[in-house]
Amino acid sequence: MSSSFNVHKADGYEQLMGRWSRRLAPPFIAFSAVEDGERVLDVGCGTGSLTFSLLETVNVGAIEAIDFSQIFVDEVIRHNNDPRITVRQADACALPFEAKSFDRALALLVLHFVPEAAKAISEMRRVVRPGGVVAAAVWDHLGGMAGMRMMIDTVAALGEGGRQLRARYCFQPMMQPGEMKQAFIDGGLLDVEETQLLVRMDYENFEDYWKPIAAGEGPLGAFMGKLGSAERAQADAAVRDAYEAGRPDGPRSFANIAWACRGRAP
């Protein structure tokens, strides 16, 4: 399996998305209905937003955390001091666990970056015991991420490369209403439910918003990294203008919606 997510440094990802993943983790855990004592699999753990939130929210028995990126695995290991957590590099489409070995398999902000998302759902179902839960959440890039769409729509107005980025970004897998729910049903899960989770992304100023993207983190950063110096300067100025929106630079807050889905293993 490959991943379409672009990461250079763990701290860059943390500023780009990890801090917002931590805000999304508690409502996602509540929706997933994790219970005390359970053995939980965190698929695509990133810098540990869900992994560590589980410890703060529920008295879980054990957490196995995996990620395709060794950068993320090393970061979670560096911050972990709880013996209930085990972390390893692994493929979401070929999970290195026996069948029926977890009470819940969770994937927070992962499936839209997995080219074979249906296979990952199938693997999550395989490793969950009968009656256990598979749950996932992804951002609604098309209609639910005002701050990111601000940048996307701005660069799309500047040229064809930006328009192509928007077409890819807004229609990644699992993001359309009902799409992930249908994938769960097609994957053999029962009692499938879908909902929306809302958090806000609060920035201190434009630098706080733009720094990880300018440094090349994530799909938006990857796009910026491919621009020539003149195009990049134009994009920098245009996105800053969109962020400031005619007012002095300073704090801005954007609403962000994630689709969340859960189903029960037969």
Side-chain angles (χ1 to χ4, degrees), residues 1-7 42-46 66-70 72-73 88-96 107 109-124 173:
M1 182 207 78
S2 60
S3 171
S4 61
F5 191 83
N6 182 65
V7 59
D42 181 0
V43 177
C45 61
I66 67 109
D67 202 281
F68 192 69
S69 168
Q70 190 64 45
F72 287 148
V73 171
R88 71 175 83 179
Q89 193 279 335
D91 184 342
C93 294
L95 295 172
L109 305 180
V110 174
L111 291 184
H112 49 316
F113 293 116
V114 180
E116 296 179 276
K119 191 171 183 180
I121 293 169
S122 176
E123 276 292 274
M124 291 169 72

Side-chain angles (χ1 to χ4, degrees), residues 32-35 38-41 102-106 128 132-134:
S32 305
V34 181
E35 297 181 357
E38 290 189 328
R39 186 168 188 243
V40 181
L41 173 62
F102 293 93
D103 297 294
R104 294 177 201 263
L106 311 180
V128 167
V133 170
V134 172

Side-chain angles (χ1 to χ4, degrees), residues 236-266:
D236 286 345
V239 177
R240 174 183 285 276
D241 184 63
Y243 177 91
E244 294 177 354
R247 296 290 182 90
D249 189 14
R252 301 292 190 271
S253 180
F254 301 98
N256 292 269
I257 294 172
W259 292 110
C261 197
R262 70 182 179 201
R264 179 173 56 83

Side-chain angles (χ1 to χ4, degrees), residues 182-193:
Q182 189 59 53
F184 272 44
I185 293 170
D186 292 345
L189 292 161
L190 308 176
D191 303 326
V192 178
E193 299 179 49

Side-chain angles (χ1 to χ4, degrees), residues 9 50-51 61 67 77 87 93 112 117 133 135 137 157 162 177 180 219 243 248 263:
K9 297 180 179 179
L50 178 59
T51 300
D67 202 281
I77 291 173
V87 193
C93 294
H112 49 316
V133 170
M180 188 161 49
Y243 177 91

